[in-house]
Amino acid sequence: MRIIRSPKAMQRQALQWRSRGLRVGFVPTMGYLHAGHLSLVHEARRRVGPDGVVVVSIYVNPTQFAPTEDLAKYPRDFARDSKLCREAGVDVIFAPTDSDMYAGREDGNYSTYVVEECLTQGLEGASRPTHFRGVTTVVAKLFNCVLPEVSVFGAKDWQQAAVIRRMVNDLQFPIRIVVAPTTRESDGLAMSSRNRYLQPEERAQATVLWRSQQWVRQEVRKSSRGVSVDRLRQGVVALVAECPAARLDYVAFVDPDTLRPVDSVRRGHRIVLAVFVGKTRLIDNGAI
Ligand code: PAF
């Protein structure tokens, strides 16, 4: 396994792979890897085959954090990440620095961003207004460095995956976007680097995101017609209220592709929610 730091060196390597006809699968991450990330790596390997190349990027992207969100506190452990990547059969870790990726930004000499204007408006975009501009910008830049044929994203960040798909389609990136299922702990909590911030009593209550989805699925599947959003929202609010450490940020019921809110919830729609558990903001979603 190689570690490549500079975008230029990554591009040179990617062009060489391309000239040799190798298939490249790419998993962008911000590091602090867990089993969820590794499932994306395995999916990338499955897609490119044993003779293909799997690249994982590890880069905590400053432009997707708001000034109020603590970028400096984002967990990092490169040594552990490298070990996990090696064990998972990753060929290359691409780990650029801020000065490589955003040279001149501090001095006002970096001014190009990629903005998706529709799917980013609600949900996470409403709670974190500058977040997706940072995500689309860095993912476009990473794509230009790694030149993958296929890139794998996790379904836990459903809106992010939809936004990336739209960007790839709108800007004609020749890349297939694959969305792999959310990996969960045995009690249903979606794996996330943020789970490590949860105190033991908060960790127990954090399952409310999963229990809310399960309850909504049950209610919708009991009914042969659509179920009203108000009724489902009230049920989720009540479940969250039973957990003293939890505070609902939002719950929405949306079309899975357009992310537009629906009035009446049926099978095939998606529940998307964000809940603060203590100080930690967790997101999750699921098919209904
Ligand atoms: O999902 C993430 O970890 C990040 O948003 C991504 C896609 C690596 C971009 O920084």
Side-chain angles (χ1 to χ4, degrees):
M1 188 183 76
R2 275 182 69 199
I3 295 169
I4 298 182
R5 297 271 175 192
S6 103
K8 282 262 175 320
M10 186 68 246
Q11 266 168 347
R12 265 199 306 275
Q13 175 63 80
L15 288 168
Q16 209 185 78
W17 287 330
R18 182 169 288 186
S19 70
R20 287 162 54 198
L22 294 181
R23 309 184 66 188
V24 179
F26 176 44
V27 181
T29 82
M30 298 210 296
Y32 214 74
L33 305 179
H34 51 66
H37 294 111
L38 299 178
S39 77
L40 308 184
V41 169
H42 296 314
E43 183 59 29
R45 171 61 66 198
R46 212 175 63 74
R47 298 278 170 162
V48 298
D51 299 331
V53 177
V54 173
V55 180
V56 169
S57 64
I58 297 183
Y59 178 57
V60 181
N61 171 38
T63 62
Q64 69 190 76
F65 288 78
T68 51
E69 297 169 352
D70 207 342
L71 168 66
K73 275 207 188 133
Y74 196 84
R76 293 163 167 89
D77 190 343
F78 190 75
R80 183 172 162 276
D81 288 346
S82 307
K83 183 168 177 285
L84 290 172
C85 283
R86 188 172 293 111
E87 286 165 5
V90 169
D91 297 294
V92 168
I93 293 180
F94 176 43
T97 62
D98 287 345
S99 53
D100 287 327
M101 289 298 273
Y102 293 107
R105 197 167 78 97
E106 301 287 290
D107 313 319
N109 290 325
Y110 182 96
S111 50
T112 305
Y113 293 88
V114 177
V115 180
E116 193 287 328
E117 296 190 334
C118 176
L119 301 174
T120 54
Q121 296 307 301
L123 309 171
E124 286 303 285
S127 295
R128 307 175 69 194
T130 56
H131 172 68
F132 283 117
R133 181 181 89 145
V135 171
T136 40
T137 300
V138 80
V139 171
K141 288 161 75 72
L142 292 167
F143 283 171
N144 282 335
C145 296
V146 177
L147 306 176
E149 171 185 319
V150 55
S151 185
V152 187
F153 290 80
K156 185 173 86 69
D157 296 297
W158 188 260
Q159 186 177 15
Q160 168 172 282
V163 168
I164 298 295
R165 256 194 220 287
R166 177 67 62 86
M167 175 187 84
V168 161
N169 191 54
D170 288 354
L171 298 184
Q172 274 127 346
F173 280 96
I175 300 172
R176 176 187 296 275
I177 301 300
V178 171
V179 181
T182 304
T183 308
R184 297 185 181 278
E185 305 285 358
S186 55
D187 62 3
L189 178 66
M191 289 200 184
S192 162
S193 309
R194 289 168 193 232
N195 294 351
R196 72 189 284 270
Y197 298 130
L198 299 167
Q199 301 301 316
E201 71 284 3
E202 295 171 349
R203 170 63 188 81
Q205 294 174 40
T207 57
V208 72
L209 287 95
W210 173 243
R211 289 186 284 109
S212 298
Q213 288 178 54
Q214 296 283 68
W215 176 80
V216 164
R217 260 191 290 275
Q218 250 172 39
E219 288 305 295
V220 171
R221 287 177 185 199
K222 266 198 272 183
S223 151
S224 52
R225 309 163 62 198
V227 180
S228 89
V229 167
D230 283 350
R231 196 164 87 66
L232 295 176
R233 181 170 287 128
Q234 274 165 26
V236 172
V237 167
L239 281 169
V240 175
E242 286 168 11
C243 304
R247 178 168 61 80
L248 184 64
D249 185 7
Y250 65 77
V251 57
F253 303 92
V254 299
D255 175 279
D257 301 316
T258 64
L259 305 181
R260 283 207 196 97
V262 296
D263 298 326
S264 168
V265 184
R266 284 181 282 102
R267 273 179 188 234
H269 289 151
R270 210 141 183 117
I271 172 175
V272 198
L273 73 169
V275 177
F276 283 95
V277 183
K279 288 201 178 110
T280 308
R281 187 169 176 280
L282 301 175
I283 60 171
D284 202 352
N285 70 86
I288 294 172

